[in-house]
Amino acid sequence: MGKTKKQKKILEETEDKGFPYCGRGGEGNRPCETFGELCGFWLEARYEAVKKSTYFNYYYCIEKHILPVFEKSSLRLLNGDEILRFISGMREKGLADSTMNSVLITFRSVLRHGIRMGYLDDSLLQYCRMHCRRQESRILIHQDSLPMKKYLLGKNDIFSVGVLLCRGTGIRIGELCGLKWEDLDFSSNTFKIRRTVSRIANPDRSDGQPKTVLYVRPPKSATSAREIPIPQYLADILREMRKDGEFYLLTGSAVCTEPRNVQKRFKTILRRCKMQDCNFHAMRHGFATACLEQGVDCKTVSSILGHASTRTTMDFYAHTSLRQKADCINMIS
């Protein structure tokens, strides 16, 4: 009996079949004359080195943005003017800075691969420069989310508790979607991050298959796989709600939900609480900032968030609030 439609849309980390360019082991003795062929060789080399979600980000950048311009370009004739026109073309299309940055990072990595293999001259790298202004991430200040906390506690359902778990621990939206009841230990009142859920392009390109699939995988790094205390006020609530260990926390079944569904419901909660619109990830920013404002050392905050280094925490999640600025000014006035 074949898989059901719902099962087809979920891809586990262990499933390798059908991934474009995967598992062929690099160039070998095959010729490489065009930039399109070089992209294929580079993807083969990256397949075993990165998570499948990262791999498909590379694949998307190449298929959507790079190959339409460079697929037939001769490696012998590739020059800086072509690269500069490519960058200008992305700007003319009005692509977001974040998209252009991802495409250029991928393009530069393919170039470096070609240089290492002796196909290209390293002088081409000097043309792969583009300044992209990183947008300031929205932050949901912990104090400002108190109305939401009160509203969710009154709902007394597992989704509301899941949102509060994120608010109180800073876990990612994909990590919440991947959380199972077996990951919670009520003897120590802790839970473990063992998997995450995201949506990626479907590697199965056959007729009748969806364009994207839910991708369930282990955390993206060793530091992302972590144990976190359950906020004290949620421990008893979760204990009363618990289901069979193999079931996902948010769905209470063997099938997980996905981040975009959680994002939509979160936006509805914000509207009902008459709060300013923001993304789910803003709670993660808010948690980190609140911890640092309260004097929690950066190493501890970094460990809770699952960062590889404290620098990541300081660079991306430690926002200076207006209150901190006022305290600083008043301190020396």
Side-chain angles (χ1 to χ4, degrees), residues 117-272:
M117 301 308 298
Y119 298 133
L120 297 170
D121 189 271
D122 61 5
S123 63
L124 291 175
L125 287 174
Q126 66 182 304
Y127 299 97
C128 294
R129 295 175 181 170
M130 179 176 62
H131 176 69
C132 293
R133 183 173 178 270
R134 189 176 183 272
Q135 288 187 336
E136 185 75 11
S137 299
R138 279 293 314 278
I139 173 174
L140 180 56
I141 298 173
H142 225 53
Q143 192 69 19
D144 291 346
S145 65
L146 287 176
M148 181 181 71
K149 178 182 177 182
K150 181 179 179 181
Y151 171 80
L152 293 175
L153 285 173
K155 297 289 288 183
N156 195 34
D157 60 61
I158 191 58
F159 182 83
S160 299
V161 176
V163 173
L164 289 172
L165 189 65
C166 289
R167 178 186 179 272
T169 63
I171 63 173
R172 302 173 179 94
I173 189 171
E175 293 171 339
L176 174 63
C177 292
L179 201 61
K180 291 185 176 182
W181 284 103
E182 65 189 8
D183 301 324
L184 279 66
D185 183 351
F186 291 108
S187 62
S188 61
N189 278 345
T190 60
F191 67 99
K192 291 181 179 179
I193 299 298
R194 291 184 169 126
R195 69 197 66 77
T196 185
V197 179
S198 58
R199 182 164 284 280
I200 65 171
N202 189 355
D204 186 350
R205 301 305 179 91
S206 58
D207 291 342
Q209 290 296 316
K211 291 183 179 180
T212 61
V213 291
L214 270 187
Y215 177 41
V216 182
R217 61 171 173 82
K220 65 180 182 180
S221 66
T223 51
S224 291
R226 59 204 190 277
E227 186 173 13
I228 305 171
I230 300 171
Q232 206 165 33
Y233 77 99
L234 293 179
D236 289 339
I237 299 174
L238 283 165
R239 188 180 288 108
E240 292 176 3
M241 291 181 169
R242 63 179 165 184
K243 295 184 180 296
D244 290 346
E246 71 273 15
F247 288 168
Y248 284 95
L249 185 82
L250 290 185
T251 62
S253 72
V255 179
C256 63
T257 189
E258 64 173 296
R260 66 182 179 185
N261 290 339
V262 175
Q263 189 77 260
K264 288 176 184 177
R265 293 184 66 177
F266 177 69
K267 298 274 189 178
T268 301
I269 291 169
L270 292 177
R271 288 193 298 271
R272 289 178 179 172

